Amino acid sequence: QVHVTESGGGSVQPGGSLRLSCAASGSIYAIIGMGWYRQAPGKERELVSTVNRGGGTDYADSVKGRFTISRLDAKNTVYLQMNSLEPEDTAVYYCNVKGYSSLTQHFEEWGQGTLVTVSS
């Protein structure tokens, strides 16, 4: 079984910064991708940013130039540095981890979510 734990959410004023962290633990043979999604009130969950095993990254257009994703493979951890935050970034942020528990057993797990509130 794989567990995903997020931290780092909170409240910040517009223009401020926050750093989210996500760590995966448990029966992990290999991780092929980690990423962040968010869900604002009344809206569907959307992709924010992902990083694959080779280090390739992807960002939603709305966060390009403001958010940076990074990954620490040795600790199965991914970070999301969020700068120049806007009220529209207010949402619950979820970490997603995809990988293998063995040579043949694939997994995809979500964290419990961490709330980010951007307000003056």
Side-chain angles (χ1 to χ4, degrees), residues 45-62:
R45 190 174 297 188
E46 63 176 4
L47 180 146
V48 176
S49 182
T50 60
V51 57
N52 62 32
R53 187 173 185 177
T57 58
D58 189 25
Y59 294 92
D61 288 342
S62 60

Side-chain angles (χ1 to χ4, degrees), residues 41-91:
K43 295 188 177 181
E44 294 186 352
R45 190 174 297 188
E46 63 176 4
L47 180 146
V48 176
S49 182
T50 60
V51 57
N52 62 32
R53 187 173 185 177
T57 58
D58 189 25
Y59 294 92
D61 288 342
S62 60
V63 307
K64 284 180 181 176
R66 300 188 298 121
F67 291 10
T68 303
I69 193 168
S70 60
R71 178 173 162 176
L72 185 59
D73 289 343
K75 295 188 175 181
N76 292 331
T77 298
V78 65
Y79 305 97
L80 185 69
Q81 179 66 43
M82 305 185 294
N83 298 329
S84 301
L85 282 161
E86 304 168 352
E88 293 74 22
D89 296 316
T90 296

Side-chain angles (χ1 to χ4, degrees), residues 4-18:
V4 177
T5 305
E6 304 130 334
S7 62
S11 295
V12 65
Q13 293 186 340
S17 297
L18 283 174

Side-chain angles (χ1 to χ4, degrees), residues 95-113:
C95 181
N96 175 269
V97 181
K98 298 182 179 70
Y100 287 89
S101 296
S102 68
L103 283 173
T104 58
Q105 187 173 3
H106 179 265
F107 73 83
E108 179 176 6
E109 295 291 342
W110 293 87
Q112 78 285 358

